[in-house]
Amino acid sequence: MKKLIGTMVAALLLSGAVARAEMVDRVAAVVNRDVIALSEVEKRAAPELARINSAVREPQKRAEERARVLKSSLDTLIGEKLMEEQIRELGLAVTESELDAAIADVKRQNNVTDEEQFERLLSGEGLTVKSYKDFLRNQMSRMKLVQLKVTPKVKVSEEDLKAAYTQYTKMESGDAEVHARHILVQVDAKATPEQVEAGRKKALVLAEEARKPGVDFSELAKKKSEGPSAADGGDLGFFRRGVMVPAFERVAFALKEGEVSEPVRTQFGWHVLKVEERRAVDVAPFEQVKGELENRLKMQKTEKFVEQYVQELRQNASVEVKI
């Protein structure tokens, strides 16, 4: 009897502790036995939430957009949890030697010659060596799962390639490439919403300054940009679509020559862009772009099959959404 009473008391105390913890950090979802905290969802959604807070003025519309972004981020996290379970069940964890080889490859691609330089490179993106290793390990494990369960289903036919090339020629014939510069206000990947907003306001001031008559954007970038291209006046050279991150690209190709953008949010922080020049580009022949088109189609089909695979996992799992 004493043991039973003691167990009941412990359970009550535990439930009280859980309740207090939930007041601090609400539970967003339970996936089988794994909990996803609301703070995880908000962290994943932070860049989009910052964009909504700055771009959407009408309260009801802003609330609807926030709810949509939070739901999308939660769905992504649920999918990742389900894939992690499959990785454990199938024994697809990444070994230390595989991880070391991948990091060595990253260093080689970025011309990193010592550990201190590598730490500085990661720090510039708001990462530590440990957090980057954790991120890379998770990505590599998921890739193993995708290669096992999804990749065999992905097929690209010659007809697929020719249809893609037809679409490609339609897009490219009227397209251009742009020569742009940018000023970066760095925001840590783990920044709070208040820090993100402070960065946006700082970038907004720089955008207003850049639009003033007689201001040399290149010189302003040299003095104020916090990115690696600052020494070159923020020069990004000429680039075509598909090179830059989507948010950055959308704004760059919407600007006219000489126009300065509003602050644009990416994983690196807030950017202020200026398009120096636009020029038309010739459409490459089929054989020249065939490999690129094939890779793009494989990626698109892989993403589609991964979504289907995650939905199958979700149908067979216990998923309780609490927000």
Side-chain angles (χ1 to χ4, degrees):
M1 179 64 72
K2 286 182 180 179
K3 185 176 180 182
L4 177 59
I5 292 172
T7 303
M8 291 172 64
V9 171
L12 287 169
L13 289 172
L14 179 60
S15 66
V18 170
R20 287 193 297 276
E22 194 164 330
M23 287 175 65
V24 176
D25 193 354
R26 286 177 56 196
V27 173
V30 180
V31 182
N32 292 328
R33 295 182 179 181
D34 285 333
V35 170
I36 298 175
L38 180 58
S39 61
E40 291 180 73
V41 183
E42 291 174 336
K43 181 179 177 182
R44 182 63 63 94
E48 274 296 291
L49 292 178
R51 182 193 64 78
I52 290 166
N53 288 339
S54 62
V56 182
R57 299 300 178 191
E58 203 274 308
Q60 184 176 346
K61 180 66 174 175
R62 188 189 306 131
E64 290 171 357
E65 285 290 295
R66 283 180 58 85
R68 178 187 61 78
V69 169
L70 286 172
K71 181 183 182 303
S72 175
S73 297
L74 178 57
D75 285 341
T76 299
L77 288 168
I78 289 170
E80 289 176 2
K81 288 285 185 186
L82 293 169
M83 291 178 80
E84 284 168 12
E85 287 185 3
Q86 288 296 298
I87 289 163
R88 288 194 295 269
E89 287 181 17
L90 296 168
L92 299 176
V94 173
T95 65
E96 285 302 314
S97 60
E98 288 173 327
L99 184 62
D100 290 342
I103 289 175
D105 190 47
V106 169
K107 289 178 179 178
R108 188 163 50 250
Q109 290 180 26
N110 289 275
N111 298 315
V112 174
T113 56
D114 59 66
E115 197 63 23
E116 202 172 298
Q117 184 185 359
F118 187 51
E119 289 176 9
R120 286 198 303 270
L121 182 68
L122 293 177
S123 179
E125 297 187 21
L127 296 167
T128 63
V129 173
K130 183 184 182 303
S131 65
Y132 180 68
K133 282 185 175 182
D134 290 342
F135 165 79
L136 191 58
R137 183 183 285 108
N138 289 336
Q139 289 292 96
M140 291 171 67
S141 296
R142 289 188 200 119
M143 185 58 66
K144 281 188 175 186
L145 182 63
V146 168
Q147 288 171 344
L148 179 66
K149 295 290 187 177
V150 175
T151 302
K153 301 178 183 178
V154 178
K155 309 291 181 187
V156 176
S157 67
E158 193 72 12
E159 288 72 23
D160 291 333
L161 288 170
K162 288 179 179 177
Y165 182 70
T166 300
Q167 185 65 26
Y168 169 81
T169 56
K170 287 179 182 177
M171 290 177 61
E172 292 290 309
S173 58
D175 206 354
E177 58 181 5
V178 299
H179 175 203
R181 295 179 183 272
H182 78 135
I183 298 170
L184 172 65
V185 176
Q186 285 189 344
V187 176
D188 194 287
K190 298 178 181 177
T192 63
E194 292 77 15
Q195 289 170 327
V196 172
E197 177 61 13
R200 186 189 72 84
K201 288 179 178 177
K202 184 177 178 180
L204 195 60
V205 170
L206 290 170
E208 291 172 356
E209 186 176 351
R211 294 192 191 101
K212 291 179 180 177
V215 171
D216 187 324
F217 192 93
S218 174
E219 289 302 314
L220 185 61
K222 286 179 182 178
K223 294 175 184 175
K224 301 294 179 69
S225 181
E226 297 168 3
S229 63
D232 297 322
D235 194 6
L236 299 171
F238 277 98
F239 56 88
R240 300 170 71 170
R241 293 187 191 273
V243 175
M244 300 295 181
V245 294
F248 195 101
E249 181 182 279
R250 278 195 300 272
V251 173
F253 280 87
L255 292 173
K256 298 175 183 177
E257 286 188 4
E259 196 171 4
V260 175
S261 75
E262 291 296 309
V264 181
R265 179 82 163 99
T266 73
Q267 69 266 39
F268 305 110
W270 291 97
H271 306 255
V272 176
L273 282 69
K274 181 181 181 182
V275 168
E276 300 281 5
E277 186 182 351
R278 302 173 68 96
R279 66 186 183 192
V281 294
D282 295 327
V283 179
F286 176 69
E287 290 301 326
Q288 185 176 324
V289 296
K290 183 178 179 180
E292 180 185 338
L293 292 175
E294 185 174 11
N295 289 335
R296 191 182 303 173
L297 285 175
K298 282 182 177 178
M299 189 177 297
Q300 290 171 355
K301 290 193 174 190
T302 298
E303 288 175 358
K304 179 182 175 183
F305 281 121
V306 167
E307 287 176 8
Q308 291 177 359
Y309 175 62
V310 169
Q311 284 305 312
E312 290 171 11
L313 293 177
R314 188 162 179 168
Q315 286 170 8
N316 296 317
S318 171
V319 178
E320 186 180 358
V321 176
K322 294 181 174 290
I323 61 169

